[in-house]
Amino acid sequence: MNETEFHHLAHIQLSTVFDILEDADRQGLLDVEYEGGIMTIGLPDGRQCVLSKHVPSCELWLSSPVSGGLHFSYDAAAGWHLPMSVFNWSKNSAATMSPCRRQKPCC
């Protein structure tokens, strides 16, 4: 994948995650900002997750106080996924973010 394709695909995924979080957070417990390819998710307890594009590796990187660092790669057949994992984020975005609906940290 070239850099232009990466930016396009990453923007689609980040926008989807942003929309899911905004929709799930009906009580306004999260502080979600998305700008310049970086999403910050402020949790009710003051901790923060950061989801960003990492251009050199063509990956989306999630930094989380719960799970640590995760690096998602893109594959046309699998979508955004964790390498060496059965978890597919592209197909499971809503399920991934569903803990936010229960007011628990989503990352």
Side-chain angles (χ1 to χ4, degrees):
M1 145 179 16
N2 66 39
E3 190 172 322
T4 300
E5 292 170 319
F6 168 71
H7 282 292
H8 175 72
L9 293 168
H11 175 72
I12 290 170
Q13 185 66 29
L14 287 165
S15 295
T16 299
V17 170
F18 180 83
D19 291 343
I20 289 169
L21 289 172
E22 288 287 302
D23 184 52
D25 186 33
R26 298 181 198 282
Q27 296 178 348
L29 299 174
L30 301 175
D31 180 18
V32 182
E33 297 179 17
Y34 173 45
E35 186 175 330
I38 300 171
M39 183 180 306
T40 57
I41 306 162
L43 305 175
D45 63 5
R47 296 182 298 171
Q48 187 176 67
C49 298
V50 177
L51 179 61
S52 62
K53 295 190 256 182
H54 188 259
V55 179
S57 64
C58 290
E59 294 177 333
L60 292 177
W61 285 14
L62 174 66
S63 173
S64 163
V66 176
S67 63
L70 299 173
H71 300 178
F72 293 87
S73 296
Y74 185 81
D75 178 271
W80 290 102
H81 66 284
L82 291 169
M84 306 298 289
S85 171
V86 296
F87 182 79
N88 182 304
W89 198 11
S90 294
K91 295 179 183 174
N92 296 298
S93 290
T96 304
M97 298 303 156
S98 65
C100 295
R101 295 186 185 126
R102 294 189 300 271
Q103 302 175 22
K104 294 180 182 175
C106 60
C107 309

